[in-house]
Amino acid sequence: MQHLTGLCGLDSGTIAGLLDTAEGFKKELVSASPSFSPSLRDRRIALVFFENSTRTRFSFELAARNLGASTLGFSASTSSVTKGETLSDTIKNLEAMQVDAFVLRHSASGSAEFISRITRRPVVNAGDGSNEHPTQALLDMFTLREHFGRIEGLRVVIVGDVLHSRVARSNIHGLLAMGAEVAVCGPVTLLPPDSEKMGVRLLTDLDRAIEWADAALVLRLQLERASGGYLPSLQEYSVHYGLTDERLERLKKNLLVLHPGPINREIEISNRVADRIQPPGYSKSMLLEQVTNGVAVRMAVLKTLLA
Ligand code: CP
């Protein structure tokens, strides 16, 4: 594996290998005194973020530091991008400074793949437009595997704005490759019409969807969708597609709840689910475990590509 631009086309062996490597890192991360071998000592990793981020950016930074690498932070608003410099010129200039790898977040779908063709350094996609967010899907799958002991045969429903979600797209590719059953659930205006061709169930009733599923991956509702004509109103969305306390209390079975963050409280997910204080019904929320797992997974990705 030279780059990680997406999970589309990655086989189950490669994905399982990354998750196995991450498992070792997770054990160390949560130990009383974590100690990692500095296998990336003297490597310089450029974190090139053209979009805002909390979880992805900080966890890549921690992952790199845990492995002994140094990081170079880049934010578009304080760079020469503001003077009109292109993405490819930015990358070529950083490469000329002998950067060893790029972690790229960009609003343009396909930007990570594009960059991987103009640099000889490894490129990791940290989210490109509505295309893919492979390390988020890897950490979601890691969380599922850690909880259930397997991914194969699990029923996972992805809830919300699947159409515009890079997290959903990467999870669909990854989960199907690993043998999970996948459904998408949301208003028809926010579901990709070609879902069934990919082998994904298309559901519009959330109560039935969570009755079917072992785990629900709840997506952040991109709030501008309400004004964009995709939704009648946020309140209506919450009633029909929010993981509300009432909905989870009605569900008389275990449901593992995942969300990539950031969350819209009381729109797609209730406070009690998000905060894990007296979670309603038999639900179990994994939101902060996902964040911890993100560090381990990103360590595994950087080590695999660079060590
Ligand atoms: N899940 C995720 O990508 O979060 P950030 O945008 O904060 O990185």
Side-chain angles (χ1 to χ4, degrees):
M1 199 170 72
Q2 201 188 343
H3 306 284
L4 181 66
T5 56
L7 296 192
C8 179
L10 238 58
D11 60 57
S12 59
T14 306
I15 295 173
L18 287 167
L19 301 186
D20 291 344
T21 306
E23 201 170 283
F25 288 136
K26 169 76 186 284
K27 283 195 188 110
E28 199 58 40
L29 264 179
V30 297
S31 71
S33 50
S35 131
F36 300 103
S37 151
S39 50
L40 300 187
R41 185 186 295 145
D42 300 331
R43 300 301 190 97
R44 293 162 297 255
I45 300 173
L47 306 177
V48 184
F49 277 64
F50 282 81
E51 272 187 359
N52 295 342
S53 166
T54 299
R55 281 147 288 270
T56 311
R57 184 174 178 144
F58 276 89
S59 59
F60 266 116
E61 183 138 9
L62 276 171
R65 287 185 188 192
N66 286 344
L67 294 169
S70 53
T71 55
L72 292 94
F74 169 96
S75 71
S77 62
T78 55
S79 76
S80 289
V81 168
T82 57
K83 301 173 203 163
E85 188 160 50
T86 64
L87 173 60
S88 57
D89 282 340
T90 303
I91 296 295
K92 282 177 194 162
N93 277 273
L94 291 171
E95 185 171 351
M97 294 177 210
Q98 307 305 316
V99 159
D100 294 298
F102 295 101
V103 175
L104 177 75
R105 171 169 286 194
H106 200 282
S107 58
S109 298
S111 49
E113 179 68 30
F114 168 68
I115 289 307
S116 73
R117 291 180 191 178
I118 62 161
T119 174
R120 285 162 289 136
R121 313 291 189 215
V123 174
V124 184
N125 182 0
D128 62 330
S130 56
N131 181 38
E132 285 226 33
H133 193 348
T135 57
Q136 178 66 46
L138 287 170
L139 76 88
D140 294 336
M141 287 191 282
F142 182 94
T143 306
L144 289 170
R145 194 177 82 158
E146 192 173 51
H147 183 83
F148 291 105
R150 66 189 166 94
I151 298 175
E152 191 171 1
L154 279 184
R155 291 177 162 188
V156 181
V157 61
I158 304 175
V159 183
D161 182 3
V162 181
L163 185 64
H164 302 97
S165 172
R166 56 197 179 201
V167 174
R169 205 174 301 274
S170 286
N171 266 288
I172 289 170
H173 291 306
L175 288 165
L176 290 177
M178 295 300 283
E181 288 186 60
V182 182
V184 293
C185 180
V188 282
T189 49
L190 292 178
L191 297 182
D194 60 348
S195 304
E196 283 169 318
K197 275 197 213 138
M198 295 174 73
V200 173
R201 285 167 194 248
L202 207 141
L203 305 171
T204 50
D205 183 324
L206 183 56
D207 292 301
R208 289 171 72 172
I210 57 177
E211 194 60 58
W212 171 84
D214 300 303
L217 172 59
V218 183
L219 300 172
R220 179 177 70 87
L221 183 68
Q222 298 176 33
L223 297 175
E224 67 275 20
R225 302 297 167 213
S227 53
Y230 290 92
L231 303 168
S233 72
L234 293 181
Q235 193 192 8
E236 202 156 328
Y237 178 86
S238 180
V239 168
H240 292 286
Y241 294 106
L243 271 196
T244 58
D245 294 345
E246 300 73 29
R247 176 163 277 123
L248 288 170
E249 265 152 13
R250 281 200 303 271
L251 183 71
K252 299 291 178 233
K253 58 168 274 212
N254 294 323
L255 181 76
L256 201 71
V257 179
L258 292 88
H259 191 304
I263 57 177
N264 296 304
R265 290 175 174 272
E266 300 293 332
I267 295 180
E268 74 258 2
I269 196 161
S270 77
N271 281 329
R272 272 172 64 196
V273 183
D275 296 333
R276 304 185 294 180
I277 300 162
Q278 297 176 317
Y282 301 93
S283 66
K284 189 164 168 35
S285 148
M286 303 303 285
L287 275 58
L288 293 179
E289 275 86 347
Q290 287 171 267
V291 178
T292 305
N293 294 341
V295 179
V297 160
R298 286 166 179 133
M299 288 175 75
V301 169
L302 293 178
K303 184 168 178 189
T304 302
L305 290 174
L306 280 159

